[in-house]
Amino acid sequence: MSFTTLGLSDALLKAISEKGYTTPSPIQQKAIPAILEGHDVLASAQTGTGKTAGFTLPLLHTLSENPKQKFRPIRALILTPTRELAAQVYENVKEYSTYLNLRSTVIFGGVNQKPQAATIRQGVDVLVATPGRLLDLERQGLVSLKRVEIFVLDEADRMLDMGFLRDIERVISIMPEKRQNLMFSATFSPEIKKLAHGILRHPVQVEATPENTTVDAINQKVYRVAKGLKTGLLTKLIADGNWKQVLVFTRTKHGANKLSEKLGKAGITSAAIHGNKSQGARTKALAGFKNGSVRVLVATDIAARGLDIPLLPHVINFELPNVSEDYVHRIGRTGRAGASGEALSLVSADETTFLRDIEKLVGMRLPVEIIEGFEPDPNASTQPEKRQQGQRGNRQNKSEVKAKTGNTDKSQARGRRTRNRRSNS
Ligand code: AMP
């Protein structure tokens, strides 16, 4: 199938061909015609599937088909959970609209709002935004969503994880009722279904899994190791394999910093990427990783979500996530586009429960290996470590906390929301 059969304008086809795309990805084949027909769409797709072009191309087509309005009110809003994702989506919007008479911009927190407000004042057709900054500007009367025709909610599941439900509801309440809605999510929990039900009208449902990122296509292995020997083992694996580009996941921001420092001391160039890093530092780390000057990128789940890093040969779980679905997201970053990928997990005794939960989710026992000199500690407890601040809890942890403190899930979610918002929007 070629892009020319999808009904997109010549101006868009030209931009697509300049990007070097020849064939629409499965999600694009399904979503683009449905969006062009004006339907609401509910798409199950994660990063790597080509989802961004899947909604951006038909959105730009629709906007450019209708005459532009004198003062260029915001006609399309794309809401994303993180700054990185917002910046990436905006890059795509800019590239695809090269030959169209449409203006776009991006707004997110952590940087001065003045230039953002000034650009919006001059008139933009497409706005890419994270919820916090968008609502900040809206409350100051610097943004109006009253003329939005198309609303895209990208990575809806992560939005909810990050506690943005209230913000999404507020955003919806300040847009016109009559509009086209497009919602993208990698997972479909009951909360996501509820949200979709509230936003979408008779949606067309489309689904796509990333190319070659099924769990089967990835070589997964577990190294059982003593907690204190993990850094040494990671250093050895990187050196022995002469790995040039490694994405390493830690559970906490502090852990990411600590590990990155230790790797640096061991002579391995590395950078940490997480919500407490300034926007400049994050962009620099990502650019370094992409151009090869940074060999290891140490990331937390939320920071890594949505990062457009194609073709990663190695993904390492320095610590297993306590939310099993995050494991699938993490390892989905390797083995893309036909390349073989390896997802290795360094697992200490206290992570045994997480490992069992993950194995249940992926439906297989993961092969285990022990490396001489990096053996697990036979005396270590298999109880999960106490929950650390800023960490998302699994069900078990939440009820433990609840039992101890009398906190309700709601008040915890509020705390989590504040923390996450501060560090991510
Ligand atoms: P996304 O899932 O939107 O994050 O896109 C993942 C990667 O695929 C990005 O680097 C896109 O530039 C690229 N991409 C999107 N559509 C296509 C296509 N039809 N052919 C080749 N690459 C694509």
Side-chain angles (χ1 to χ4, degrees):
M1 189 194 228
S2 110
F3 274 102
T4 49
T5 58
L6 293 176
L8 296 165
S9 68
D10 288 347
L12 284 165
L13 292 176
K14 189 169 173 201
I16 292 167
S17 116
E18 281 175 10
K19 279 282 278 182
Y21 305 165
T22 49
T23 316
S25 69
I27 194 88
Q28 291 163 358
Q29 292 179 24
K30 294 177 206 161
I32 292 174
I35 299 171
L36 287 177
E37 281 170 19
H39 293 290
D40 278 11
V41 166
L42 177 60
S44 156
Q46 63 186 71
T47 306
T49 55
K51 69 180 168 73
T52 315
F55 62 75
T56 306
L57 294 169
L59 175 153
L60 293 172
H61 179 101
T62 305
L63 293 185
S64 59
E65 284 281 283
N66 301 324
K68 81 172 194 292
Q69 300 174 20
K70 204 167 165 208
F71 300 108
R72 288 193 189 258
I74 294 161
R75 295 168 63 201
L77 171 67
I78 303 170
L79 210 54
T80 75
T82 64
R83 306 165 197 180
E84 281 79 13
L85 188 58
Q88 279 166 25
V89 170
Y90 172 57
E91 280 308 309
N92 280 277
V93 171
K94 259 197 320 192
E95 283 173 341
Y96 301 138
S97 54
T98 308
Y99 302 105
L100 299 173
N101 180 13
L102 290 173
R103 284 197 217 145
S104 53
T105 197
V106 61
I107 59 172
F108 44 72
V111 292
N112 188 349
Q113 72 163 44
K114 274 195 187 148
Q116 299 180 346
T119 310
I120 291 171
R121 202 175 315 120
Q122 286 163 16
V124 293
D125 304 279
V126 182
L127 178 66
V128 185
T130 54
R133 177 54 59 95
L134 175 66
L135 289 173
D136 274 354
L137 293 184
E138 191 271 331
R139 284 191 188 105
Q140 299 170 60
L142 300 170
V143 167
S144 166
L145 301 178
K146 286 192 183 130
R147 306 285 286 278
V148 169
E149 297 163 29
I150 307 175
F151 170 53
V152 183
L153 189 60
D154 196 13
E155 305 213 342
D157 47 352
R158 191 52 53 143
M159 289 267 193
L160 294 194
D161 278 356
M162 290 171 68
F164 282 133
L165 178 60
R166 286 270 161 77
D167 287 352
I168 295 169
E169 288 168 351
R170 165 85 188 139
V171 169
I172 287 165
S173 74
I174 53 176
M175 290 191 291
E177 272 200 15
K178 190 175 171 300
R179 51 168 206 273
Q180 186 178 14
N181 300 289
L182 315 173
M183 182 166 150
F184 287 73
S185 189
T187 55
F188 281 89
S189 62
E191 288 84 8
I192 286 289
K193 287 184 188 147
K194 198 171 153 207
L195 182 68
H197 187 73
I199 296 178
L200 306 168
R201 268 152 274 193
H202 311 295
V204 170
Q205 295 203 20
V206 296
E207 213 173 299
T209 44
E211 273 176 72
N212 294 323
T213 55
T214 57
V215 170
D216 297 347
I218 298 163
N219 178 20
Q220 300 172 74
K221 203 190 289 177
V222 165
Y223 289 102
R224 284 289 197 169
V225 56
K227 206 173 188 61
L229 299 177
K230 280 190 179 185
T231 309
L233 177 56
L234 177 63
T235 314
K236 178 182 162 56
L237 291 171
I238 294 172
D240 288 359
N242 196 18
W243 296 343
K244 301 283 185 233
Q245 200 181 37
V246 195
L247 180 62
V248 178
F249 284 95
T250 60
R251 263 205 311 264
T252 65
K253 299 167 194 174
H254 177 64
N257 283 340
K258 230 171 52 182
L259 178 59
S260 177
E261 257 170 49
K262 283 187 191 164
L263 289 172
K265 281 185 190 146
I268 297 171
T269 53
S270 107
I273 186 163
H274 54 67
N276 282 2
K277 291 269 174 183
S278 72
Q279 186 54 34
R282 293 200 218 183
T283 310
K284 193 169 153 225
L286 188 59
F289 188 59
K290 281 186 179 178
N291 72 26
S293 61
V294 169
R295 204 164 159 193
V296 180
L297 189 67
V298 188
T300 56
D301 288 288
I302 287 180
R305 178 79 171 183
L307 289 187
D308 179 16
I309 316 166
L311 284 178
L312 278 179
H314 310 285
V315 168
I316 312 292
N317 297 305
F318 189 77
E319 291 151 335
L320 287 179
N322 51 353
V323 176
S324 304
E325 284 80 6
D326 283 344
Y327 175 83
V328 180
H329 289 309
R330 288 178 179 189
I331 70 167
R333 301 191 154 277
T334 185
R336 286 211 185 137
S340 66
E342 219 176 17
L344 308 176
S345 303
L346 313 190
V347 181
S348 48
D350 58 321
E351 295 172 295
T352 304
T353 319
F354 299 156
L355 179 61
R356 296 289 163 256
D357 287 348
I358 288 164
E359 289 180 331
K360 254 185 240 157
L361 182 75
V362 299
M364 61 192 261
R365 290 302 283 261
L366 301 178
V368 175
E369 206 173 300
I370 294 173
I371 305 275
E372 209 184 318
F374 297 92
E375 288 86 359
D377 177 355
N379 302 317
S381 161
T382 55
Q383 285 302 304
E385 250 194 352
K386 267 209 183 136
R387 201 171 161 226
Q388 295 176 29
Q389 218 204 349
Q391 186 180 317
R392 292 189 296 131
N394 62 5
R395 240 173 248 124
Q396 183 189 352
N397 279 343
K398 267 193 215 164
S399 53
E400 276 170 14
V401 174
K402 187 173 165 183
K404 276 187 198 140
T405 62
N407 271 356
T408 61
D409 274 4
K410 246 188 184 164
S411 67
Q412 282 181 43
R414 257 197 304 277
R416 201 165 62 231
R417 186 156 55 234
T418 319
R419 276 198 302 278
N420 284 333
R421 211 173 21 204
R422 220 178 290 131
S423 58
N424 286 295
S425 179

